Amino acid sequence: QGVDSTQHEKGREKAIMTDAQIAEIDTEPGSSHGRMTQYLPDGKVGECSLQYGKRTNGFSTVVYPSGDTYEGYWKQGCKHLLGEEWFADDRSYFGEMNYDLREGNGRYKRPNGVVYRGKFLKGNKHGKGEYVLLNGCTITVETEVGYITKHLSTRRHTRVSRVTQQEDGKYRLDYEDGAYYIGQINEKTQQREGYGLYVHKHKDYWYQGQWQKDIEHGTGWCQDHHQCLIRGQFKYGLANDKQATVEYPSQSDDYQEEHTLCGNLLDGC
């Protein structure tokens, strides 16, 4: 199949195939074991192990033309056992895989910075897990086919350093990490309850709307660190992809796109 095979030096070989595939093979002198880097016509770049001159089912790295990258284990041409995925839109996943699907324990980060840690089944969040939210809390939930079905508990990351009652009856909560909240609260628990505004410590995320048991729950809107403005219904601190819209920052002043949220901010699972 190869139309050109050139031995550059002992243990190194470059092969150009008839389908325009280029393979650079690096082995120990006198051995058929080593590494091979493949450059495919569609732009993919893959790196894998060689054993007896053949590609193994073990560990390898693939960089896709889109900029997406997978680094982990393979079996029969599929991502399998354990791997890490990085996507060009800032999503990432690290965890167990089963023939190209996320299955088992894993950690998934959304483009807006929200992190899910927990169980996956057939590519979807499924079972017990927890979300690390941008509002300073971690929620423990049960999920089914990618959607939250039950809220189990809420844990706050940082403590309230000061509570100030304002003239209009609202409260201001200042947190130890520099974030703050202005709005209604549960006076007994000092949890955010009712309507209010929360501003993240880095000022790159804010949410204004309804709260329940210290998390965003109900009608509201927020802006994430990508400058995307999300409006609609929130549930357990997350935008409801069926009842919310997102406005992406436009490249020009006279153009603005509006789209319906898809898969919870392009969750991909």
Side-chain angles (χ1 to χ4, degrees):
Q1 189 180 15
V3 296
D4 182 28
S5 181
T6 305
Q7 191 78 27
H8 294 285
E9 57 185 82
K10 192 173 183 179
R12 292 180 179 272
E13 182 180 357
K14 182 177 182 180
I16 302 176
M17 311 300 182
T18 54
D19 58 1
Q21 176 186 154
I22 299 176
E24 293 182 351
I25 303 169
D26 188 1
T27 60
E28 293 294 328
S31 171
S32 59
H33 296 221
R35 303 287 294 176
M36 178 174 69
T37 302
Q38 292 177 294
Y39 302 89
L40 304 179
D42 59 4
K44 293 181 184 178
V45 179
E47 184 176 317
C48 62
S49 300
L50 289 178
Q51 189 172 13
Y52 302 109
K54 297 181 180 180
R55 179 173 178 168
T56 69
N57 287 329
F59 189 92
S60 64
T61 302
V62 174
V63 180
Y64 297 90
S66 62
D68 299 344
T69 302
Y70 173 78
E71 183 174 295
Y73 291 90
W74 297 77
K75 185 176 182 180
Q76 298 175 359
C78 297
K79 304 169 188 174
H80 195 66
L81 292 180
L82 185 69
E84 189 162 9
E85 297 173 300
W86 297 276
F87 300 91
D89 61 2
D90 287 339
R91 291 180 296 130
S92 65
Y93 172 80
F94 174 75
E96 296 176 295
M97 307 286 292
N98 185 35
Y99 292 102
D100 277 344
L101 296 176
R102 300 165 190 167
E103 189 157 317
N105 294 304
R107 178 187 184 276
Y108 175 79
K109 184 178 79 68
R110 291 177 166 193
N112 66 349
V114 172
V115 174
Y116 170 82
R117 300 185 293 238
K119 297 289 186 180
F120 288 79
L121 179 66
K122 296 181 180 179
N124 293 303
K125 305 182 193 76
H126 194 91
K128 189 175 181 179
E130 62 180 24
Y131 280 93
V132 182
L133 305 175
L134 301 178
N135 64 17
C137 290
T138 295
I139 60 171
T140 303
V141 298
E142 289 183 358
T143 59
E144 187 173 336
V145 197
Y147 292 93
I148 297 174
T149 56
K150 188 176 183 180
H151 172 239
L152 300 177
S153 65
T154 299
R155 183 174 72 255
R156 183 182 290 173
H157 302 163
T158 60
R159 294 182 296 178
V160 176
S161 60
R162 183 173 59 182
V163 180
T164 308
Q165 186 171 10
Q166 301 184 333
E167 295 180 358
D168 56 4
K170 296 179 181 178
Y171 288 83
R172 177 184 173 110
L173 305 182
D174 289 283
Y175 298 92
E176 291 180 340
D177 63 356
Y180 67 88
Y181 168 84
I182 300 175
Q184 298 171 313
I185 68 170
N186 182 318
E187 295 182 8
K188 184 178 180 179
T189 62
Q190 293 186 353
Q191 289 185 333
R192 296 162 287 195
E193 189 87 30
Y195 190 90
L197 167 69
Y198 171 81
V199 180
H200 190 265
K201 61 182 179 180
H202 296 308
K203 309 299 185 291
D204 57 355
Y205 169 80
W206 57 261
Y207 169 85
Q208 185 169 350
Q210 295 175 321
W211 294 77
Q212 181 177 313
K213 295 182 179 179
D214 224 24
I215 54 179
E216 302 94 323
H217 195 89
T219 304
W221 61 95
C222 73
Q223 180 174 287
D224 64 19
H225 69 283
H226 288 299
Q227 303 296 307
C228 294
L229 186 63
I230 303 165
R231 307 172 185 266
Q233 294 295 312
F234 288 74
K235 186 176 182 181
Y236 305 125
L238 304 169
N240 188 321
D241 62 327
K242 296 180 180 179
Q243 295 177 295
T245 59
V246 56
E247 297 176 9
Y248 299 97
S250 60
Q251 299 298 320
S252 60
D253 295 335
D254 58 352
Y255 180 70
Q256 183 77 23
E257 283 188 278
E258 181 170 311
H259 299 277
T260 300
L261 282 175
C262 178
N264 285 334
L265 294 176
L266 299 178
D267 248 356
C269 62

